[in-house]
Amino acid sequence: MKRWMWSVPSARVEIFFCSRPELPVVNEGELLAILDAGAYGIVLASNYNSRPRPAEVLVDGKSVKVIRRRETMDDLLRPEISSR
């Protein structure tokens, strides 16, 4: 176990997701699931500061399915480039 502070950047402040500071060690390339982000889920996601939106994954027991792929920079730039 290790002490962590999990947060994400936003427009004005950092939003903290972890109220329990001791979590298993997560290494580069591993995945971390935040099962309940409250109001900060995909419904309020935006591309502010050119940040691609994350993937959405549906987990049902042992079944896992990507239901929305992670956006890329090409996705963000496509409307700007194609409108010219």
Side-chain angles (χ1 to χ4, degrees):
M1 299 294 266
K2 184 174 179 177
R3 289 188 170 272
W4 296 94
M5 183 181 301
W6 295 99
S7 65
V8 297
S10 68
R12 299 178 188 196
V13 297
E14 287 201 357
I15 300 164
F16 297 96
F17 285 109
C18 180
S19 62
R20 210 178 54 168
E22 288 195 12
L23 297 169
V25 174
V26 179
N27 298 304
E28 186 174 336
E30 294 181 324
L31 300 176
L32 172 68
I34 299 175
L35 302 179
D36 186 357
Y40 299 101
I42 197 72
V43 71
L44 289 180
S46 74
N47 297 119
Y48 181 79
N49 283 342
S50 299
R51 293 179 187 271
R53 286 182 280 245
E56 283 187 274
V57 179
L58 177 65
V59 178
D60 183 15
K62 292 184 179 183
S63 173
V64 179
K65 182 177 182 179
V66 175
I67 58 174
R68 185 185 311 246
R69 69 174 176 78
R70 177 180 293 135
E71 288 182 332
T72 65
M73 285 305 292
D74 285 342
D75 293 330
L76 296 183
L77 296 174
R78 189 173 297 113
E80 303 297 326
I81 294 169
S82 64
S83 66
R84 293 180 182 176

